[in-house]
């Protein structure tokens, strides 16, 4: 008598980001969404890459405590301008300031993803750095873009999947969805390693 396959563990996205939810839904995999209660304040002198990795894992672990049987995905993105972390601006004024700092510069968007399953003891974290070169933007271009897009919930104020693409000279990445907020190639790799069967 052959054994029937073990039932698939539920998948939970530990994020309230609509961008991450849209990206994960591309995999045609049923999943729930849970809000991770994690303090996102950088530690003094913490590098943007380390911050993104730490927060992705902290989010996945926080949600895994509440859903111990599930495979939980946590993710975080920090814009890295010469070693300085740029978070979500939150306001128009801060977005203007961020884009003025970034014009003519290369910014690394450090996008980390972690997968945790408490029941099986599975835990992996990885990072997909995306190198983004900004055009030398005028103040008028910055103002027009912000009024049109209002990207105040996006790290570094740059929403590449929308009008933000017009601010850029180049994007270099080995995981094309990383800039939007969830590196799906790495996410798929981790889900398979955690025993999730992808459609």
């Amino acid at each position: 008598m052959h054994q029937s396959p073990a039932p698939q563990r539920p998948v939970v996205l530990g994020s309230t980001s609509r961008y991450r939810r849209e990206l994960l839904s591309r995999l045609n995999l049923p999943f729930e969404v849970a809000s991770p209660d994690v303090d996102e304040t950088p530690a003094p002198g913490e590098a943007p890459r380390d911050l993104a990795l730490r927060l992705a894992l902290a989010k996945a672990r926080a949600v895994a405590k509440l859903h111990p049987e599930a495979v939980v995905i946590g993710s975080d993105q920090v814009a890295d301008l010469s070693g300085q972390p740029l978070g979500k601006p939150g306001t128009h004024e801060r977005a203007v300031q961020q884009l003025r700092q970034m014009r003519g510069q290369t910014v690394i968007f450090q996008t980390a993803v972690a997968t945790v399953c408490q029941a099986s003891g599975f835990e992996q974290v990885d990072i997909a750095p995306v190198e983004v070169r900004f055009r030398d933007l005028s103040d008028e271009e910055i103002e027009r873009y912000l009024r049109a897009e209002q990207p105040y919930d996006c790290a570094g104020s740059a929403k590449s999947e929308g009008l933000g693409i017009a601010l850029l000279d180049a994007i270099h990445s080995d995981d094309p969805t990383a800039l939007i907020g969830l590196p799906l190639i790495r996410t798929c790799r981790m889900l398979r390693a955690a025993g999730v069967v992808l459609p």
Side-chain angles (χ1 to χ4, degrees), residues 21-56:
R21 196 166 55 233
E22 283 163 16
L23 287 170
L24 191 58
S25 63
R26 290 187 192 180
L27 300 183
N28 232 349
L29 187 72
F31 66 93
E32 291 172 54
V33 174
S35 173
D37 188 18
V38 170
D39 177 5
E40 299 192 22
T41 312
E46 188 172 27
R49 177 189 169 88
D50 297 338
L51 175 62
L53 284 164
R54 176 174 67 80
L55 291 179

Side-chain angles (χ1 to χ4, degrees), residues 16-121:
T16 51
S17 159
R18 62 195 162 119
Y19 309 112
R20 292 193 178 109
R21 196 166 55 233
E22 283 163 16
L23 287 170
L24 191 58
S25 63
R26 290 187 192 180
L27 300 183
N28 232 349
L29 187 72
F31 66 93
E32 291 172 54
V33 174
S35 173
D37 188 18
V38 170
D39 177 5
E40 299 192 22
T41 312
E46 188 172 27
R49 177 189 169 88
D50 297 338
L51 175 62
L53 284 164
R54 176 174 67 80
L55 291 179
L57 194 52
K59 289 174 182 180
R61 283 175 175 164
V63 172
K65 274 196 183 115
L66 307 172
H67 301 269
E69 292 298 324
V71 173
V72 179
I73 300 162
S75 186
D76 193 76
Q77 184 180 70
V78 181
D80 178 347
L81 177 61
S82 312
Q84 289 306 307
L86 298 176
K88 297 171 185 144
T91 66
H92 183 81
E93 295 66 34
R94 287 191 50 198
V96 168
Q97 188 187 348
Q98 282 186 346
L99 288 169
R100 283 178 178 166
Q101 282 178 284
M102 294 189 296
R103 59 183 162 201
Q105 303 289 322
T106 294
V107 178
I108 311 291
F109 284 80
Q110 304 282 7
T111 309
V113 61
T115 304
V116 172
C117 177
Q118 234 181 13
S120 68

Side-chain angles (χ1 to χ4, degrees), residues 114-172:
T115 304
V116 172
C117 177
Q118 234 181 13
S120 68
F122 181 85
E123 190 172 280
Q124 274 189 8
V125 63
D126 199 359
I127 196 151
V130 183
E131 193 177 290
V132 177
R133 201 166 66 241
F134 281 80
R135 292 175 36 248
D136 196 5
L137 306 163
S138 68
D139 286 352
E140 295 85 292
E141 282 178 304
I142 289 173
E143 193 62 35
R144 274 201 315 270
Y145 163 69
L146 290 175
R147 292 281 171 223
E149 194 73 275
Q150 303 185 355
Y152 309 130
D153 62 346
C154 298
S157 313
K159 195 170 163 189
S160 66
E161 66 275 27
L163 191 57
I165 201 79
L167 308 177
L168 310 179
D169 263 338
I171 296 174
H172 298 285

Side-chain angles (χ1 to χ4, degrees), residues 170-186:
I171 296 174
H172 298 285
S173 172
D174 68 354
D175 205 333
T177 58
L179 189 55
I180 305 170
L182 186 66
L184 282 181
I185 293 173
R186 283 166 175 78

